[in-house]
Each structure stands twice: as C-alpha cells, then as structure tokens.
Amino acid sequence: MRYVKRKNRFFSSSALLFMLVASAVSTLSAGCSGDGGAGGESEKTKTLMGTFARIVAYAWTDEQAAGAIEKAFNEVETVEQMMSEHLPESDVSRINAAKEKVWIQVDPLTSAVLSEVNWAWKTSDGAFDPTIRPLLKMWRGAAKAGRMPTRKELAQTLNKVGWKNIEINAEKSQVRKPRAGTELDLGAIAKGYAIDAAIEALRSSGCSAGLVDIGGDVGCFGSPPGRNEWVIGVQNPFGEGLVGRLNVSGEAICTSGDYRRFVEIKGRKYSHIVDPRTGLPVAGSPSVTVIAPLAVRADALATALSVLGPKEGIKLIESMPEVEAMMIEGPPEEPKVHKSSGFDKYVIELDVLR
Ligand code: ADP
Ligand code: MG
C-alpha cells in the first residue's frame, strides 16, 4: 500500500518527499505464520496533526489489536492538543501568546518535547531551532504580498529568533520568555514525539508488532507475520514512484527537505525550512531520510540536516552510533546521494537514477 503525505495544516510541514510503503497488506495476504503465534490484526487511518495518521497493529486477537490502536491514537491526539500552534489553548499557543518574563505552566509532555528540542538545538549547533516561527510568518506574508522581505524586516524578525530566548524549568514544567516576540513552531519534532508515544501505547497493550505512520514519518517494531522487518518505500524526490525500499524494525524513519512545500515569490520557490542563523529558506535543499531509535530524534535530525546540508549533516550523523541518514541532492538529471556509513544495512534496493 502506498501513502502520500497530505498538506500539513496544523504543523505547516509536510515533507512529501517520500512515499512510505508498509508491507502490511501484502504480507497479510501471504498468510504466513512465524510471528509468535499472534493472529490478530487491525489497521486504522485518521486525520490528525494536519495530516494522515495510520496505525497498524498485530496482537493475539483482532480486538486486542484494535483496542491498542485506539490507545495509540489517543496519544497522538494528546500530543496534538499540546503542540498545535493553531489550537489557541495548546501549550505552544499559550507560550506564543505569553508576555515576557511570565512563567507559563505546561504539561510534562510539552516539557519533555522541549528538552528534546534542546538536545537537537545543541547537537545541530543551532541549525534546529523551533523559534523560527516569526521567520515563517514573515516569508508567508512576503509571498502573499508578492515581494521579497526587506533587509530591515529580515533583521527585525531575526532579532526575535533564538532558542536562548526560551527559558525552561523542567522540574516545574514551566516555560518563560525573557523577551517578548519569541514564538515556537514545533512542526519539525511534534510528529516524531507523537509516533514514539503511539508506538509505546501499542507495545504496552501487548502487541507483537506495530507501525505508526504520521504524514510519512514512520515508527515501527516487531514485524508483520511472515516477515522479519517492515518494508518502507522511499519516494522519488524528483518525481513519481519509488527510488528504493528499506528494511526497518524497532526504529523510526523520518523525512524532510521537501521542495513541494514552499512559498512562492515572483515565480521562485522558497522552502518551508529556514536557516535560523540567516533567516533565509534553505536553498537547493536535498531530500533527507533519517533512521534513529526514536522518531522524535529522527524527525528533528531530518530537519536539522536540511539546514546543515550534506557535508556537515552526514558528518554529524557519523558521530551518532545508532543513527543513519541519506540525503538526495539534485539536479534530477544528475542526482547525488550522500549516505552515512551504516545506511546500507537498511537498503533492500535503491536506484536514485531510475
Ligand atoms: P515535515 O513535517 O514535512 O516532515 P520537517 O519535519 O522537516 O518536515 O518539518 C518542517 C517544519 O519544521 C516547517 O514547516 C517548520 O514548521 C519547522 N521548521 C522550519 N525550519 C526549522 C528549523 N530550522 N528548525 C526547527 N524547525 C523548523
Ligand atoms: Mg522533522
């Protein structure tokens, strides 16, 4: 089965670079055994976090699998409630609307995501920074007006950006902004966190295998009956179809760097990923695939690599033992593929030039 990302309304993100193919349907029809005797299965898709969320589960009975899926969806819904910048009552919206120096009480879950943000920001040397929201708004405004932002606008907006403008008291789950104007957009990490939470719900409900796909970012564990791993298809970033298939289990695989999601000014396309250091949308951004033990990290790193580019990006991934990445750079007639040294162990087939 094939799933294409839809436009992401809530988190204004959607890589759409990859079409992810889980092998659930084909392996089910194969009807093989070999998965610890678990014969129950269930699958459901909902619209959540501004995109599709699809969950597949295997358990002893169909009912058990279906119940686990409901629990997993609840987790995704909770993350959405906390982290959507479009729901006025969400933690993120309350932080964005807050006055300077006022401590805002947030859910421990939001606090946990912010500590992951902190990790990603540090690890990427500031390339990952969710305080870019004012920049995204500026670029959207410029596109609407059909002109480039002025130097002054860019400088003023950049002035509001910087993770250092968010203070966190992790013990008390409180957040404050030393200066007014700082705003968060967790679109590059919230889906990853939601995937991990949903996977945990499937596991703790006793499922033998499961897959959670939110807008094309995927977490999975175990394997469908008759298989050793899940098969994930990599979409051709330059056109239709797949460029490859990967074997993944017990890990998450997230994508980023979409040039089908952009704003257009005077006929030129500008990415929805911006460099927090310059305020400019990343240019010629290659497609990025990151595989990591946790989706929250794979998601954040995929966005960070879009900003860092292949050279620095792959170097960063090489420093992380359990993380692998692949970046596909244009032009389409002559694509360049950059892979971390362990990436090939996931590859079933890969042909970027097809
Ligand atoms: P997708 O959500 O489509 O899979 P990403 O995970 O790369 O794509 O997230 C892109 C989103 O991340 C953007 O729409 C924006 O909300 C946010 N973002 C853009 N630039 C940055 C950045 N430098 N650091 C953190 N978040 C960013
Ligand atoms: Mg991301």
Side-chain angles (χ1 to χ4, degrees):
M1 276 189 90
R2 292 175 173 195
Y3 290 87
V4 186
K5 285 186 170 189
R6 275 193 230 131
K7 194 171 168 187
N8 193 330
R9 203 159 35 84
F10 281 73
F11 291 93
S12 52
S13 56
S14 75
L16 252 169
L17 277 178
F18 293 82
M19 186 181 286
L20 293 155
V21 183
S23 62
V25 170
S26 55
T27 51
L28 276 178
S29 56
C32 304
S33 62
D35 202 50
E41 44 151 293
S42 189
E43 176 176 345
K44 196 168 171 177
T45 302
K46 279 188 177 183
T47 300
L48 282 171
M49 300 183 98
T51 184
F52 72 86
R54 169 182 166 246
I55 304 183
V56 184
Y58 294 93
W60 285 102
T61 63
D62 291 354
E63 293 70 33
Q64 187 190 5
I69 286 178
E70 286 316 312
K71 279 193 190 150
F73 273 127
N74 283 342
E75 294 292 328
V76 179
E77 275 159 28
T78 306
V79 174
E80 179 173 18
Q81 302 282 322
M82 307 285 170
M83 265 152 274
S84 167
E85 51 168 325
H86 297 278
L87 300 174
E89 292 307 311
S90 75
D91 282 349
V92 163
S93 294
R94 291 191 304 112
I95 293 168
N96 289 348
K99 295 207 169 72
E100 63 193 80
K101 300 194 176 81
V102 180
W103 284 107
I104 306 293
Q105 190 67 46
V106 298
D107 193 274
L109 187 150
T110 304
S111 196
V113 173
L114 295 179
S115 80
E116 283 297 327
V117 166
N118 204 41
W119 175 86
W121 176 78
K122 267 197 203 147
T123 307
S124 68
D125 206 12
F128 183 91
D129 189 331
T131 63
I132 40 72
R133 188 166 193 254
L135 286 169
L136 296 176
K137 290 204 291 196
M138 179 194 73
W139 283 103
R140 281 197 292 263
K144 227 178 188 177
R147 55 160 185 85
M148 291 294 280
T150 63
R151 263 170 205 271
K152 198 174 158 195
E153 267 177 308
L154 182 62
Q156 281 172 347
T157 311
L158 255 180
N159 207 22
K160 297 179 188 165
V161 174
W163 180 241
K164 289 199 166 125
N165 297 327
I166 296 285
E167 263 179 68
I168 301 166
N169 183 331
E171 259 169 48
K172 292 188 180 165
S173 285
Q174 289 179 337
V175 179
R176 75 171 175 178
K177 312 191 289 197
R179 303 161 49 191
T182 309
E183 290 183 19
L184 292 179
D185 175 333
L186 297 180
I189 196 165
K191 284 197 294 260
Y193 189 84
I195 290 169
D196 291 334
I199 288 283
E200 187 45 40
L202 297 181
R203 280 186 191 274
S204 64
S205 305
C207 293
S208 58
L211 178 139
V212 177
D213 177 353
I214 306 184
D217 289 341
V218 172
C220 57
F221 69 98
S223 59
R227 278 193 170 267
N228 294 326
E229 275 157 326
W230 296 90
V231 179
I232 313 286
V234 182
Q235 198 200 339
N236 179 4
F238 308 115
E240 297 300 312
L242 301 176
V243 291
R245 289 184 305 133
L246 308 176
N247 250 335
V248 182
S249 183
E251 276 132 336
I253 171 164
C254 295
T255 67
S256 191
D258 169 33
Y259 45 80
R260 289 173 225 194
R261 273 281 295 168
F262 48 78
V263 297
E264 203 165 329
I265 304 173
K266 294 186 175 159
R268 259 197 77 180
K269 292 166 181 168
Y270 295 89
S271 171
H272 68 142
I273 298 174
V274 290
D275 189 330
R277 301 161 297 193
T278 60
L280 304 177
V282 299
S285 116
S287 83
V288 185
T289 304
V290 175
I291 303 176
L294 287 176
V296 69
R297 298 220 159 162
D299 194 6
L301 285 170
T303 307
L305 261 58
S306 298
V307 176
L308 291 172
K311 203 170 157 234
E312 270 188 73
I314 297 294
K315 197 173 143 202
L316 173 63
I317 296 299
E318 295 292 9
S319 73
M320 297 179 200
E322 291 184 301
V323 183
E324 302 297 341
M326 173 173 73
M327 300 175 81
I328 306 175
E329 238 184 335
E333 323 74 61
E334 227 179 305
K336 266 198 211 138
V337 184
H338 308 263
K339 289 182 282 188
S340 60
S341 50
F343 190 84
D344 279 342
K345 67 173 175 274
Y346 296 105
V347 174
I348 305 169
E349 59 170 328
L350 183 69
D351 182 2
V352 177
L353 278 171
R354 74 180 49 187

